[in-house]
Amino acid sequence: MSATRAQLRDALETVRPVWRPSLPLAGMWLFMAVISLYPFWDELKFMWGWWMDRPEFSHGILMPVISIFLFWKNSDKFEKFPFVNNVWGVLLTLFGAFLFLIGKLGSVIVLVQYAYVITLGGVALSLVSWQGATSLWMPFVILVLMIPVPEFVLKNMTVDLQLISSKLAVFMMRLAGVTVFLEGNIIDLGTAKLQVAEACSGLRYLFPLMTLGFIIACFYRAAMWKRVVVFLSSAPLTIFMNSFRIAFVGITVDHWGESVAGGFLHDFEGWLIFMASTLLMVGEMMILNRVGASRRPLRETFGIEFPKKAPAVAPRRSWQPTTTFLISCSIVLLMCVYSFTAPEVIENVPARQSFAEFPEQIGEWTGTRAGMEAVFLDELKLDDYVIANYTRPGSLPVNFYVAWYNSQRGGQSSHSPRTCLPGGGWRIASLDRIKVPGVFISGQPLFVNRGLVENGDQRQLVYYWFQQRGRIITNEYVVKWYLFWDSLTRHRTDGAMVRAIVSVPQGTAVASAEAQLADFVRDAAPRLSPYIPD
Protein backbone atom coordinates (compact mmCIF):
# COMPACT_ATOMS: atom_id res chain seq x y z
CA MET A 1 0.00 0.00 0.00
CA SER A 2 2.79 2.41 0.95
CA ALA A 3 4.57 1.65 -2.36
CA THR A 4 1.36 2.42 -4.26
CA ARG A 5 0.98 5.73 -2.44
CA ALA A 6 4.58 6.64 -3.20
CA GLN A 7 4.05 5.80 -6.90
CA LEU A 8 0.89 7.93 -6.98
CA ARG A 9 2.73 10.82 -5.31
CA ASP A 10 5.59 10.58 -7.81
CA ALA A 11 3.13 10.45 -10.69
CA LEU A 12 1.37 13.53 -9.34
CA GLU A 13 4.64 15.41 -9.13
CA THR A 14 5.34 14.74 -12.80
CA VAL A 15 2.02 16.30 -13.89
CA ARG A 16 1.88 19.14 -11.31
CA PRO A 17 2.87 22.42 -13.00
CA VAL A 18 6.12 24.02 -11.85
CA TRP A 19 5.69 27.77 -11.45
CA ARG A 20 8.61 30.08 -12.27
CA PRO A 21 8.75 33.90 -12.37
CA SER A 22 8.08 35.58 -15.68
CA LEU A 23 10.63 38.09 -16.96
CA PRO A 24 8.42 41.13 -16.08
CA LEU A 25 7.88 39.81 -12.57
CA ALA A 26 11.58 39.06 -12.04
CA GLY A 27 12.40 42.61 -13.19
CA MET A 28 9.82 44.06 -10.80
CA TRP A 29 11.24 42.02 -7.93
CA LEU A 30 14.72 43.34 -8.55
CA PHE A 31 13.49 46.92 -8.94
CA MET A 32 11.39 46.80 -5.76
CA ALA A 33 14.20 45.18 -3.75
CA VAL A 34 16.43 48.14 -4.60
CA ILE A 35 13.89 50.98 -4.47
CA SER A 36 12.38 49.81 -1.16
CA LEU A 37 15.67 50.66 0.57
CA TYR A 38 15.33 54.37 -0.18
CA PRO A 39 12.59 55.39 2.30
CA PHE A 40 14.27 53.48 5.14
CA TRP A 41 17.90 54.26 4.30
CA ASP A 42 18.78 56.43 7.31
CA GLU A 43 17.26 54.00 9.80
CA LEU A 44 18.93 51.01 8.14
CA LYS A 45 22.29 52.81 8.33
CA PHE A 46 21.64 53.41 12.03
CA MET A 47 20.93 49.69 12.46
CA TRP A 48 24.16 48.86 10.63
CA GLY A 49 26.04 51.05 13.08
CA TRP A 50 24.61 49.09 16.00
CA TRP A 51 25.65 45.82 14.36
CA MET A 52 29.20 47.13 14.03
CA ASP A 53 29.49 48.83 17.45
CA ARG A 54 27.32 46.83 19.85
CA PRO A 55 28.43 43.22 20.49
CA GLU A 56 24.94 42.24 21.67
CA PHE A 57 23.62 42.92 18.16
CA SER A 58 26.64 41.88 16.09
CA HIS A 59 24.68 38.83 14.89
CA GLY A 60 22.30 41.12 12.99
CA ILE A 61 24.57 41.32 9.96
CA LEU A 62 23.98 37.60 9.32
CA MET A 63 20.18 37.74 9.55
CA PRO A 64 19.48 38.96 5.98
CA VAL A 65 21.77 36.24 4.63
CA ILE A 66 20.01 33.54 6.66
CA SER A 67 16.60 34.91 5.65
CA ILE A 68 17.52 34.75 1.95
CA PHE A 69 18.79 31.21 2.45
CA LEU A 70 15.48 30.19 4.06
CA PHE A 71 13.58 31.67 1.11
CA TRP A 72 15.75 29.66 -1.26
CA LYS A 73 15.37 26.55 0.91
CA ASN A 74 11.59 26.77 0.48
CA SER A 75 11.71 27.54 -3.23
CA ASP A 76 10.52 24.05 -4.18
CA LYS A 77 7.37 24.64 -2.10
CA PHE A 78 6.66 27.97 -3.78
CA GLU A 79 6.99 26.32 -7.21
CA LYS A 80 3.91 24.20 -6.50
CA PHE A 81 1.47 27.10 -6.24
CA PRO A 82 0.45 29.84 -8.69
CA PHE A 83 0.55 33.42 -7.50
CA VAL A 84 -2.87 34.75 -6.53
CA ASN A 85 -4.39 38.01 -5.32
CA ASN A 86 -4.14 38.33 -1.55
CA VAL A 87 -5.74 41.46 -0.11
CA TRP A 88 -4.16 40.75 3.28
CA GLY A 89 -0.80 41.52 1.71
CA VAL A 90 -2.05 44.98 0.70
CA LEU A 91 -3.38 45.60 4.22
CA LEU A 92 -0.04 44.54 5.72
CA THR A 93 1.81 46.85 3.32
CA LEU A 94 -0.49 49.71 4.32
CA PHE A 95 0.19 48.97 7.98
CA GLY A 96 3.93 49.08 7.27
CA ALA A 97 3.48 52.42 5.48
CA PHE A 98 1.52 53.75 8.48
CA LEU A 99 4.29 52.74 10.90
CA PHE A 100 6.83 54.27 8.53
CA LEU A 101 4.97 57.57 8.46
CA ILE A 102 4.47 57.98 12.20
CA GLY A 103 7.99 56.68 12.82
CA LYS A 104 9.42 59.34 10.48
CA LEU A 105 7.26 62.14 11.87
CA GLY A 106 7.89 61.06 15.44
CA SER A 107 11.60 60.31 14.83
CA VAL A 108 11.22 56.83 16.32
CA ILE A 109 14.02 54.93 14.59
CA VAL A 110 13.04 51.45 15.74
CA LEU A 111 9.47 51.97 14.46
CA VAL A 112 10.76 52.71 10.96
CA GLN A 113 13.02 49.65 11.13
CA TYR A 114 10.09 47.39 11.98
CA ALA A 115 8.07 49.13 9.26
CA TYR A 116 10.69 48.04 6.72
CA VAL A 117 10.29 44.34 7.53
CA ILE A 118 6.48 44.62 7.72
CA THR A 119 6.35 46.40 4.37
CA LEU A 120 8.51 43.73 2.72
CA GLY A 121 6.30 41.05 4.24
CA GLY A 122 3.18 42.77 2.92
CA VAL A 123 4.56 42.97 -0.62
CA ALA A 124 5.50 39.26 -0.52
CA LEU A 125 2.14 38.24 0.97
CA SER A 126 0.24 40.14 -1.74
CA LEU A 127 1.49 37.51 -4.25
CA VAL A 128 0.85 34.22 -2.51
CA SER A 129 -2.02 32.13 -1.20
CA TRP A 130 -2.22 31.12 2.45
CA GLN A 131 -0.59 27.81 1.50
CA GLY A 132 2.42 29.68 0.20
CA ALA A 133 2.38 32.10 3.13
CA THR A 134 3.17 29.27 5.56
CA SER A 135 6.65 29.16 4.02
CA LEU A 136 7.14 32.92 4.42
CA TRP A 137 6.79 33.49 8.15
CA MET A 138 10.10 31.96 9.20
CA PRO A 139 12.37 34.09 6.96
CA PHE A 140 10.56 37.25 8.04
CA VAL A 141 10.86 36.42 11.75
CA ILE A 142 14.60 36.08 11.12
CA LEU A 143 14.55 39.62 9.67
CA VAL A 144 12.72 40.89 12.76
CA LEU A 145 15.51 39.47 14.93
CA MET A 146 18.07 41.67 13.17
CA ILE A 147 16.45 44.83 14.60
CA PRO A 148 18.04 46.11 17.84
CA VAL A 149 15.68 46.59 20.77
CA PRO A 150 15.01 50.20 21.85
CA GLU A 151 17.68 51.83 24.00
CA PHE A 152 15.47 52.32 27.09
CA VAL A 153 14.43 48.64 27.02
CA LEU A 154 18.08 47.68 26.69
CA LYS A 155 19.02 49.80 29.73
CA ASN A 156 16.33 48.22 31.92
CA MET A 157 17.28 44.73 30.78
CA THR A 158 20.97 45.44 31.40
CA VAL A 159 20.41 46.45 35.02
CA ASP A 160 18.14 43.48 35.73
CA LEU A 161 20.54 41.00 34.13
CA GLN A 162 23.51 42.53 35.94
CA LEU A 163 21.83 41.95 39.29
CA ILE A 164 20.69 38.41 38.41
CA SER A 165 24.11 37.45 37.04
CA SER A 166 25.85 38.91 40.11
CA LYS A 167 23.64 36.99 42.56
CA LEU A 168 23.97 33.69 40.69
CA ALA A 169 27.73 34.12 40.33
CA VAL A 170 28.16 34.80 44.05
CA PHE A 171 26.05 31.72 44.84
CA MET A 172 28.31 29.57 42.65
CA MET A 173 31.46 31.06 44.18
CA ARG A 174 30.26 30.29 47.67
CA LEU A 175 29.52 26.72 46.60
CA ALA A 176 33.19 26.57 45.50
CA GLY A 177 34.27 27.68 48.97
CA VAL A 178 35.13 31.29 48.12
CA THR A 179 34.32 33.89 50.76
CA VAL A 180 32.59 36.71 48.94
CA PHE A 181 30.30 39.65 49.65
CA LEU A 182 27.90 41.23 47.14
CA GLU A 183 26.93 44.91 47.03
CA GLY A 184 24.71 45.54 44.03
CA ASN A 185 26.97 44.67 41.09
CA ILE A 186 30.19 44.82 43.14
CA ILE A 187 31.61 41.40 44.06
CA ASP A 188 33.92 41.90 47.07
CA LEU A 189 36.50 39.14 47.52
CA GLY A 190 38.26 40.92 50.37
CA THR A 191 41.56 41.22 48.51
CA ALA A 192 39.91 42.47 45.31
CA LYS A 193 36.64 43.89 44.04
CA LEU A 194 35.03 42.91 40.75
CA GLN A 195 32.34 45.01 39.12
CA VAL A 196 29.81 43.20 36.97
CA ALA A 197 29.75 45.87 34.28
CA GLU A 198 27.17 46.27 31.52
CA ALA A 199 29.37 44.22 29.20
CA CYS A 200 29.12 41.34 31.67
CA SER A 201 25.35 41.55 32.09
CA GLY A 202 24.80 38.70 29.62
CA LEU A 203 23.12 40.82 26.94
CA ARG A 204 25.99 40.35 24.51
CA TYR A 205 25.18 36.62 24.68
CA LEU A 206 21.42 36.82 25.22
CA PHE A 207 20.32 38.24 21.87
CA PRO A 208 22.77 36.24 19.72
CA LEU A 209 21.95 33.00 21.56
CA MET A 210 18.19 33.58 21.42
CA THR A 211 18.58 34.19 17.70
CA LEU A 212 20.68 31.07 17.38
CA GLY A 213 18.05 29.18 19.38
CA PHE A 214 15.37 30.29 16.93
CA ILE A 215 17.49 29.26 13.93
CA ILE A 216 18.21 25.88 15.51
CA ALA A 217 14.47 25.44 16.16
CA CYS A 218 13.83 26.24 12.47
CA PHE A 219 15.99 23.31 11.35
CA TYR A 220 14.84 20.99 14.15
CA ARG A 221 12.36 18.53 12.62
CA ALA A 222 10.36 17.62 15.70
CA ALA A 223 7.05 18.36 17.39
CA MET A 224 6.29 22.07 17.66
CA TRP A 225 6.38 22.03 21.47
CA LYS A 226 9.93 20.68 21.39
CA ARG A 227 11.03 23.43 19.02
CA VAL A 228 9.43 26.04 21.28
CA VAL A 229 11.23 24.58 24.30
CA VAL A 230 14.60 24.80 22.52
CA PHE A 231 14.01 28.44 21.64
CA LEU A 232 12.66 29.55 25.03
CA SER A 233 15.43 27.75 26.92
CA SER A 234 18.07 29.93 25.27
CA ALA A 235 17.34 32.86 27.62
CA PRO A 236 17.74 31.11 31.02
CA LEU A 237 20.62 29.09 29.59
CA THR A 238 22.44 32.29 28.63
CA ILE A 239 21.92 33.85 32.06
CA PHE A 240 23.14 30.70 33.83
CA MET A 241 26.24 30.36 31.66
CA ASN A 242 27.09 34.05 31.99
CA SER A 243 26.83 33.74 35.77
CA PHE A 244 29.11 30.71 35.59
CA ARG A 245 31.60 32.81 33.62
CA ILE A 246 31.57 35.59 36.23
CA ALA A 247 31.95 33.01 39.01
CA PHE A 248 34.92 31.44 37.21
CA VAL A 249 36.59 34.86 36.92
CA GLY A 250 35.98 35.46 40.63
CA ILE A 251 37.44 32.10 41.60
CA THR A 252 40.58 32.64 39.48
CA VAL A 253 41.01 36.14 40.94
CA ASP A 254 40.64 34.74 44.45
CA HIS A 255 43.45 32.24 43.76
CA TRP A 256 45.79 34.11 41.41
CA GLY A 257 45.01 37.82 41.74
CA GLU A 258 43.29 40.54 39.72
CA SER A 259 45.68 40.33 36.77
CA VAL A 260 43.89 37.24 35.44
CA ALA A 261 40.50 38.99 35.31
CA GLY A 262 41.14 40.89 32.08
CA GLY A 263 42.88 40.60 28.77
CA PHE A 264 42.93 37.47 26.66
CA LEU A 265 41.52 35.17 29.36
CA HIS A 266 38.48 37.42 29.83
CA ASP A 267 37.76 37.54 26.09
CA PHE A 268 38.49 33.84 25.59
CA GLU A 269 36.08 32.92 28.39
CA GLY A 270 33.34 34.87 26.60
CA TRP A 271 33.90 32.96 23.37
CA LEU A 272 34.06 29.66 25.27
CA ILE A 273 30.81 30.35 27.12
CA PHE A 274 29.04 31.10 23.84
CA MET A 275 30.22 27.82 22.31
CA ALA A 276 29.36 25.88 25.47
CA SER A 277 25.84 27.34 25.44
CA THR A 278 25.42 26.23 21.82
CA LEU A 279 26.54 22.70 22.68
CA LEU A 280 24.10 22.63 25.60
CA MET A 281 21.24 23.46 23.23
CA VAL A 282 22.35 20.60 20.99
CA GLY A 283 22.39 18.32 24.04
CA GLU A 284 18.92 19.55 24.92
CA MET A 285 17.65 18.45 21.51
CA MET A 286 19.21 15.00 22.02
CA ILE A 287 17.30 14.67 25.30
CA LEU A 288 14.04 15.90 23.77
CA ASN A 289 14.40 13.30 21.00
CA ARG A 290 14.05 10.63 23.67
CA VAL A 291 10.76 12.10 24.91
CA GLY A 292 7.46 11.10 23.35
CA ALA A 293 6.36 8.36 20.96
CA SER A 294 8.66 9.34 18.09
CA ARG A 295 12.21 8.64 19.26
CA ARG A 296 14.90 9.23 16.70
CA PRO A 297 18.59 10.09 16.79
CA LEU A 298 19.59 13.74 16.37
CA ARG A 299 21.01 13.19 12.88
CA GLU A 300 17.49 12.31 11.67
CA THR A 301 15.76 15.29 13.29
CA PHE A 302 18.24 18.08 12.79
CA GLY A 303 19.70 19.15 9.50
CA ILE A 304 19.35 21.36 6.48
CA GLU A 305 17.01 20.22 3.74
CA PHE A 306 17.88 21.64 0.35
CA PRO A 307 15.13 22.30 -2.23
CA LYS A 308 14.20 19.34 -4.35
CA LYS A 309 14.67 19.65 -8.06
CA ALA A 310 11.42 19.56 -9.99
CA PRO A 311 10.90 16.61 -12.38
CA ALA A 312 12.15 17.39 -15.87
CA VAL A 313 8.85 16.25 -17.40
CA ALA A 314 6.70 18.50 -15.19
CA PRO A 315 4.99 21.27 -17.20
CA ARG A 316 6.37 24.80 -16.66
CA ARG A 317 4.15 27.81 -15.96
CA SER A 318 5.03 31.47 -15.45
CA TRP A 319 4.12 33.54 -12.42
CA GLN A 320 2.58 36.83 -13.43
CA PRO A 321 2.25 40.02 -11.33
CA THR A 322 -1.04 40.03 -9.44
CA THR A 323 -3.29 43.04 -8.90
CA THR A 324 -2.63 43.07 -5.17
CA PHE A 325 1.11 42.85 -5.79
CA LEU A 326 0.94 45.88 -8.08
CA ILE A 327 -1.04 47.79 -5.44
CA SER A 328 1.54 46.94 -2.76
CA CYS A 329 4.36 48.04 -5.05
CA SER A 330 2.51 51.31 -5.67
CA ILE A 331 2.31 51.90 -1.91
CA VAL A 332 6.09 51.45 -1.64
CA LEU A 333 6.62 53.87 -4.54
CA LEU A 334 4.44 56.45 -2.77
CA MET A 335 6.62 56.01 0.32
CA CYS A 336 9.65 56.76 -1.88
CA VAL A 337 7.97 59.88 -3.26
CA TYR A 338 7.13 61.03 0.27
CA SER A 339 10.73 60.49 1.41
CA PHE A 340 12.04 62.46 -1.56
CA THR A 341 9.63 65.40 -1.34
CA ALA A 342 8.85 65.71 2.37
CA PRO A 343 10.69 68.55 4.10
CA GLU A 344 13.22 67.60 6.73
CA VAL A 345 11.76 67.57 10.22
CA ILE A 346 13.69 70.19 12.19
CA GLU A 347 13.55 69.73 15.92
CA ASN A 348 12.49 72.72 17.97
CA VAL A 349 14.87 73.37 20.85
CA PRO A 350 13.54 76.14 23.11
CA ALA A 351 15.68 78.98 24.40
CA ARG A 352 16.82 78.46 27.98
CA GLN A 353 19.37 79.53 30.54
CA SER A 354 22.46 77.41 31.04
CA PHE A 355 22.87 75.54 34.29
CA ALA A 356 26.18 77.39 34.64
CA GLU A 357 23.95 80.22 35.90
CA PHE A 358 21.98 78.09 38.34
CA PRO A 359 22.14 79.79 41.77
CA GLU A 360 24.42 78.45 44.44
CA GLN A 361 22.33 80.22 47.07
CA ILE A 362 18.73 78.98 47.26
CA GLY A 363 16.98 80.50 50.23
CA GLU A 364 18.91 79.34 53.30
CA TRP A 365 20.66 76.63 51.29
CA THR A 366 24.24 77.16 50.11
CA GLY A 367 25.54 75.02 47.27
CA THR A 368 28.96 73.73 46.30
CA ARG A 369 29.18 72.68 42.66
CA ALA A 370 30.75 69.40 41.58
CA GLY A 371 31.55 67.87 38.21
CA MET A 372 31.35 64.49 36.53
CA GLU A 373 34.17 62.54 34.94
CA ALA A 374 34.32 62.29 31.14
CA VAL A 375 33.51 58.56 31.22
CA PHE A 376 30.11 59.29 32.81
CA LEU A 377 29.40 62.20 30.51
CA ASP A 378 30.13 59.97 27.51
CA GLU A 379 27.64 57.43 28.81
CA LEU A 380 24.90 59.92 29.72
CA LYS A 381 25.22 61.95 26.47
CA LEU A 382 23.56 64.95 28.13
CA ASP A 383 23.74 68.55 26.84
CA ASP A 384 23.79 70.44 30.14
CA TYR A 385 23.69 69.59 33.81
CA VAL A 386 24.14 70.83 37.32
CA ILE A 387 25.31 68.76 40.26
CA ALA A 388 25.87 70.38 43.63
CA ASN A 389 25.75 69.68 47.35
CA TYR A 390 23.49 72.11 49.24
CA THR A 391 23.72 72.66 52.99
CA ARG A 392 21.66 74.60 55.49
CA PRO A 393 22.46 75.22 59.15
CA GLY A 394 20.99 72.42 61.22
CA SER A 395 20.06 70.30 58.17
CA LEU A 396 21.52 67.31 56.39
CA PRO A 397 23.31 68.06 53.10
CA VAL A 398 21.29 67.48 49.92
CA ASN A 399 22.85 66.33 46.66
CA PHE A 400 21.02 67.98 43.78
CA TYR A 401 21.40 66.83 40.16
CA VAL A 402 19.59 67.86 36.99
CA ALA A 403 20.40 66.42 33.54
CA TRP A 404 19.16 68.35 30.51
CA TYR A 405 18.80 67.05 26.94
CA ASN A 406 18.20 69.28 23.91
CA SER A 407 17.05 66.16 22.06
CA GLN A 408 16.21 62.66 23.23
CA ARG A 409 16.26 60.98 19.85
CA GLY A 410 18.64 58.26 18.68
CA GLY A 411 19.36 56.74 22.11
CA GLN A 412 19.97 59.99 24.00
CA SER A 413 17.57 60.07 26.93
CA SER A 414 17.38 60.62 30.64
CA HIS A 415 18.81 57.82 32.77
CA SER A 416 16.41 56.83 35.52
CA PRO A 417 17.74 56.44 39.09
CA ARG A 418 15.57 53.31 39.23
CA THR A 419 18.13 51.65 36.95
CA CYS A 420 21.30 53.56 37.87
CA LEU A 421 21.27 53.25 41.67
CA PRO A 422 21.20 49.41 41.83
CA GLY A 423 24.27 49.32 39.59
CA GLY A 424 26.20 51.29 42.21
CA GLY A 425 25.45 48.77 44.94
CA TRP A 426 22.30 50.42 46.31
CA ARG A 427 19.28 48.24 47.03
CA ILE A 428 15.88 49.87 46.60
CA ALA A 429 14.08 49.17 49.88
CA SER A 430 10.94 51.06 48.86
CA LEU A 431 9.78 53.12 45.90
CA ASP A 432 6.49 54.96 45.62
CA ARG A 433 4.94 58.07 44.12
CA ILE A 434 4.11 60.97 46.43
CA LYS A 435 2.99 64.58 46.22
CA VAL A 436 5.32 67.21 47.69
CA PRO A 437 3.03 69.58 49.58
CA GLY A 438 3.14 73.24 48.63
CA VAL A 439 5.19 72.82 45.42
CA PHE A 440 3.80 73.80 42.02
CA ILE A 441 5.68 73.83 38.70
CA SER A 442 3.99 75.52 35.74
CA GLY A 443 0.77 75.44 37.74
CA GLN A 444 0.99 71.69 38.35
CA PRO A 445 1.43 70.06 41.77
CA LEU A 446 4.78 68.32 42.05
CA PHE A 447 4.61 64.53 42.20
CA VAL A 448 7.91 62.69 42.65
CA ASN A 449 9.23 59.18 42.91
CA ARG A 450 10.28 58.65 46.52
CA GLY A 451 12.86 55.93 47.00
CA LEU A 452 14.58 54.65 50.11
CA VAL A 453 17.81 52.91 49.10
CA GLU A 454 20.28 50.95 51.20
CA ASN A 455 23.88 49.86 50.83
CA GLY A 456 25.02 47.89 53.86
CA ASP A 457 24.55 50.23 56.85
CA GLN A 458 24.11 53.29 54.60
CA ARG A 459 20.71 54.70 53.74
CA GLN A 460 19.63 57.42 51.35
CA LEU A 461 16.31 59.01 50.55
CA VAL A 462 15.80 59.93 46.90
CA TYR A 463 13.29 62.21 45.20
CA TYR A 464 13.29 62.25 41.41
CA TRP A 465 11.02 63.23 38.57
CA PHE A 466 11.10 63.91 34.84
CA GLN A 467 10.35 67.53 33.90
CA GLN A 468 9.71 67.54 30.18
CA ARG A 469 8.03 70.08 27.91
CA GLY A 470 5.63 71.42 30.54
CA ARG A 471 4.87 68.06 32.14
CA ILE A 472 5.88 66.51 35.45
CA ILE A 473 6.18 62.75 34.91
CA THR A 474 7.20 59.97 37.29
CA ASN A 475 6.79 56.89 35.08
CA GLU A 476 9.68 56.07 32.70
CA TYR A 477 7.40 54.45 30.12
CA VAL A 478 5.03 57.44 30.10
CA VAL A 479 8.12 59.56 29.42
CA LYS A 480 8.74 57.52 26.26
CA TRP A 481 5.14 57.89 25.13
CA TYR A 482 5.25 61.69 25.45
CA LEU A 483 8.61 61.78 23.70
CA PHE A 484 6.97 60.13 20.73
CA TRP A 485 3.80 62.22 20.91
CA ASP A 486 5.58 65.57 21.29
CA SER A 487 8.04 64.70 18.54
CA LEU A 488 5.08 63.92 16.30
CA THR A 489 2.97 66.96 17.19
CA ARG A 490 5.45 69.59 18.43
CA HIS A 491 8.80 68.48 16.96
CA ARG A 492 10.29 68.62 20.46
CA THR A 493 12.02 65.95 22.54
CA ASP A 494 13.91 68.17 24.99
CA GLY A 495 13.59 67.56 28.70
CA ALA A 496 15.27 66.94 32.02
CA MET A 497 15.56 64.49 34.86
CA VAL A 498 15.68 66.04 38.34
CA ARG A 499 17.04 64.19 41.36
CA ALA A 500 17.60 65.17 45.00
CA ILE A 501 19.25 62.84 47.54
CA VAL A 502 19.76 63.11 51.28
CA SER A 503 21.78 60.58 53.31
CA VAL A 504 20.07 59.20 56.39
CA PRO A 505 22.76 58.61 59.06
CA GLN A 506 22.42 55.90 61.66
CA GLY A 507 20.22 57.13 64.49
CA THR A 508 18.39 59.66 62.27
CA ALA A 509 14.73 59.04 61.59
CA VAL A 510 13.78 58.77 57.94
CA ALA A 511 10.86 61.16 58.57
CA SER A 512 13.25 63.83 59.86
CA ALA A 513 15.56 63.49 56.84
CA GLU A 514 12.58 63.55 54.49
CA ALA A 515 11.24 66.78 56.02
CA GLN A 516 14.57 68.45 55.26
CA LEU A 517 14.67 67.00 51.73
CA ALA A 518 11.12 68.25 51.09
CA ASP A 519 12.14 71.71 52.36
CA PHE A 520 14.98 71.83 49.84
CA VAL A 521 12.75 70.67 46.97
CA ARG A 522 10.17 73.32 47.89
CA ASP A 523 12.89 75.98 47.60
CA ALA A 524 14.70 74.60 44.53
CA ALA A 525 11.97 73.21 42.23
CA PRO A 526 10.26 76.56 41.42
CA ARG A 527 13.64 77.96 40.30
CA LEU A 528 14.02 75.39 37.51
CA SER A 529 11.67 77.02 34.98
CA PRO A 530 14.29 79.23 33.22
CA TYR A 531 16.55 76.18 32.80
CA ILE A 532 13.81 73.67 31.87
CA PRO A 533 11.36 75.61 29.67
CA ASP A 534 7.77 74.54 29.08
Side-chain angles (χ1 to χ4, degrees), residues 446-498:
L446 178 62
F447 285 87
V448 302
N449 288 309
R450 174 198 180 274
L452 181 64
V453 297
E454 300 174 346
N455 188 345
D457 295 332
Q458 303 176 66
R459 292 183 300 171
Q460 290 183 343
L461 191 64
V462 183
Y463 280 3
Y464 75 91
W465 67 94
F466 300 92
Q467 193 165 327
Q468 312 220 350
R469 302 169 304 285
R471 299 184 184 89
I472 304 299
I473 308 172
T474 55
N475 184 285
E476 289 84 350
Y477 291 96
V478 175
V479 168
K480 298 304 176 183
W481 161 252
Y482 280 119
L483 278 177
F484 164 71
W485 182 251
D486 288 346
S487 177
L488 190 66
T489 59
R490 302 167 63 184
H491 302 312
R492 282 183 59 185
T493 61
D494 54 273
M497 190 281 296
V498 186

Side-chain angles (χ1 to χ4, degrees), residues 37-319:
L37 294 173
Y38 178 74
F40 306 93
W41 187 249
D42 291 338
E43 290 74 20
L44 295 178
K45 281 199 304 183
F46 187 87
M47 183 166 62
W48 175 272
W50 274 49
W51 292 349
M52 296 296 103
D53 300 334
R54 306 290 289 266
E56 55 267 40
F57 298 113
S58 58
H59 64 282
I61 195 171
L62 297 175
M63 296 302 100
V65 178
I66 295 173
S67 179
I68 292 172
F69 172 79
L70 288 174
F71 275 117
W72 174 77
K73 174 180 173 292
N74 292 326
S75 60
D76 57 335
K77 298 176 183 176
F78 290 123
E79 288 179 343
K80 297 178 181 179
F81 306 107
F83 281 173
V84 297
N85 286 307
N86 192 336
V87 71
W88 289 103
V90 176
L91 295 176
L92 189 61
T93 307
L94 283 171
F95 180 62
F98 171 74
L99 290 183
F100 162 80
L101 185 62
I102 62 174
K104 282 286 190 179
L105 293 175
S107 298
V108 183
I109 292 174
V110 70
L111 206 58
V112 180
Q113 292 167 346
Y114 280 116
Y116 175 67
V117 177
I118 291 171
T119 302
L120 288 183
V123 173
L125 185 60
S126 64
L127 274 171
V128 298
S129 64
W130 286 111
Q131 287 177 305
T134 57
S135 300
L136 283 176
W137 72 270
M138 201 175 293
F140 278 102
V141 170
I142 291 290
L143 287 180
V144 169
L145 293 175
M146 75 180 178
I147 300 174
V149 300
E151 181 75 24
F152 77 97
V153 175
L154 192 64
K155 289 175 183 175
N156 289 334
M157 290 181 66
T158 297
V159 172
D160 292 339
L161 287 175
Q162 280 176 294
L163 294 174
I164 294 172
S165 297
S166 300
K167 291 176 182 178
L168 279 176
V170 166
F171 175 74
M172 295 177 188
M173 292 167 68
R174 286 171 178 164
L175 288 179
V178 177
T179 301
V180 60
F181 180 70
L182 178 66
E183 293 183 359
N185 295 325
I186 309 297
I187 297 176
D188 190 347
L189 296 166
T191 57
K193 289 186 177 181
L194 302 176
Q195 181 176 6
V196 182
E198 289 187 9
C200 299
S201 65
L203 278 179
R204 64 172 51 186
Y205 308 117
L206 180 63
F207 295 115
L209 274 173
M210 288 189 69
T211 302
L212 181 63
F214 182 80
I215 294 171
I216 288 175
C218 290
F219 294 107
Y220 184 33
R221 298 186 296 273
M224 180 55 71
W225 72 266
K226 294 183 180 181
R227 302 167 77 180
V228 172
V229 166
V230 170
F231 170 64
L232 294 181
S233 67
S234 59
L237 179 63
T238 302
I239 296 171
F240 175 81
M241 292 302 293
N242 185 59
S243 301
F244 177 80
R245 171 179 176 251
I246 297 169
F248 181 76
V249 171
I251 293 170
T252 54
V253 168
D254 185 62
H255 285 82
W256 293 287
E258 288 187 75
S259 60
V260 301
F264 171 76
L265 180 60
H266 183 275
D267 296 335
F268 178 74
E269 286 168 353
W271 177 85
L272 190 62
I273 291 298
F274 185 88
M275 298 304 297
S277 300
T278 304
L279 291 175
L280 285 174
M281 279 195 284
V282 173
E284 182 182 2
M285 287 190 295
M286 296 176 68
I287 295 173
L288 288 172
N289 279 347
R290 297 181 176 275
V291 177
S294 178
R295 301 186 179 187
R296 294 178 292 169
L298 184 63
R299 64 179 180 272
E300 294 182 9
T301 58
F302 182 77
I304 300 175
E305 292 182 348
F306 294 99
K308 298 176 182 178
K309 190 174 181 180
V313 296
R316 265 54 177 173
R317 299 288 187 271
S318 292
W319 283 320

Side-chain angles (χ1 to χ4, degrees), residues 90-91 93-94 97 119 326-336:
V90 176
L91 295 176
T93 307
L94 283 171
T119 302
L326 294 175
I327 294 173
S328 292
C329 290
S330 300
I331 294 170
V332 176
L333 291 175
L334 287 174
M335 294 164 66
C336 293

